[in-house]
């Protein structure tokens, strides 16, 4: 999702899903400043919105990877995380946006998947340029020795 988000933003094209009912989102002054700064990248990612007042946007479309019901939360999290990550790390603006977006739209712990979805994920991960860690540096693939595996099942 991270690599796809970077490609979308760099190609300046969006793949979004229009909301049946646009959502008005009230933002604070800091959030408005940030969203104005990164609006082109957000549009390229698939977030389509209009400013309808000094502190409110109307969200019309979201990227297709955003789960239904998380539209507002995902955008606000990207804005807030962008600000926090900008202060902590010296990362590229687009990398910052893509990392937060990919975490927000990724499969979560406990989410039930079909066998087909599981196989698709495995296939997709090995097509990535960096399949071993997430954008925040956490491991995606773990390597266990046979001894470690046996110990986990009480076979020492």
């Amino acid at each position: 999702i991270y690599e796809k988000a970077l490609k979308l933003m760099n190609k300046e094209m969006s793949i979004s899903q229009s909301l049946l009912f646009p959502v008005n989102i009230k933002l604070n002054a800091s959030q408005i400043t940030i969203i104005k700064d990164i609006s082109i990248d957000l549009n390229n990612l698939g977030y389509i919105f209009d400013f309808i007042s000094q502190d409110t946007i109307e969200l019309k479309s979201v990227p297709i990877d955003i789960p239904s019901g998380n539209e507002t939360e995902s955008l606000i999290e990207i804005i807030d995380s962008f600000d926090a990550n900008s202060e902590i790390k010296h990362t590229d603006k687009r990398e910052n946006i893509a990392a937060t977006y990919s975490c927000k739209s990724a499969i979560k712990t406990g989410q039930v998947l079909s066998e087909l979805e599981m196989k698709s994920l495995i296939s997709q991960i090995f097509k990535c340029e960096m399949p071993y860690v997430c954008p925040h540096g956490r491991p995606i693939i773990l390597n266990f020795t046979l001894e470690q595996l046996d110990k986990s099942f009480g076979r020492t």
Side-chain angles (χ1 to χ4, degrees):
I1 297 170
Y2 171 76
E3 290 176 11
K4 183 169 93 175
L6 283 177
K7 287 176 185 173
L8 287 171
M9 286 187 287
N10 289 330
K11 289 184 179 179
E12 298 182 357
M13 59 183 284
S14 71
I15 301 174
S16 62
Q17 179 171 325
S18 296
L19 300 177
L20 186 57
F21 300 104
V23 178
N24 290 347
I25 305 172
K26 187 171 179 145
L27 303 170
N28 63 39
S30 174
Q31 291 170 323
I32 289 289
T33 301
I34 292 166
I35 201 167
K36 285 180 179 178
D37 181 39
I38 63 174
S39 64
I40 292 171
D41 291 320
L42 290 172
N43 287 162
N44 292 342
L45 195 53
Y47 288 98
I48 309 300
F49 54 87
D50 290 324
F51 292 91
I52 58 174
S53 73
Q54 288 184 329
D55 65 350
T56 305
I57 62 167
E58 180 182 56
L59 183 61
K60 296 178 177 185
S61 297
V62 296
I64 59 171
D65 293 320
I66 296 297
S68 180
N70 290 340
E71 299 85 2
T72 300
E73 179 186 343
S74 70
L75 181 60
I76 290 173
E77 188 170 318
I78 288 172
I79 295 167
D80 292 343
S81 294
F82 180 84
D83 189 34
N85 290 340
S86 295
E87 292 176 8
I88 298 170
K89 304 173 186 171
H90 298 290
T91 59
D92 177 77
K93 177 168 71 168
R94 288 183 171 170
E95 289 174 1
N96 183 344
I97 295 167
T100 302
Y101 166 74
S102 62
C103 285
K104 191 65 200 163
S105 55
I107 293 168
K108 305 294 183 245
T109 299
Q111 187 173 339
V112 178
L113 301 175
S114 69
E115 185 177 336
L116 183 61
E117 289 170 317
M118 290 180 219
K119 286 179 180 178
S120 175
L121 278 176
I122 292 169
S123 173
Q124 289 175 40
I125 194 71
F126 288 110
K127 291 178 184 174
C128 291
E129 292 176 25
M130 180 52 72
Y132 302 106
V133 293
C134 80
H136 295 108
R138 290 184 289 274
I140 294 172
I141 298 172
L142 300 175
N143 186 16
F144 292 97
T145 65
L146 186 55
E147 291 81 22
Q148 290 170 318
L149 196 56
D150 281 344
K151 188 175 179 180
S152 295
F153 289 97
R155 297 178 167 218
T156 55

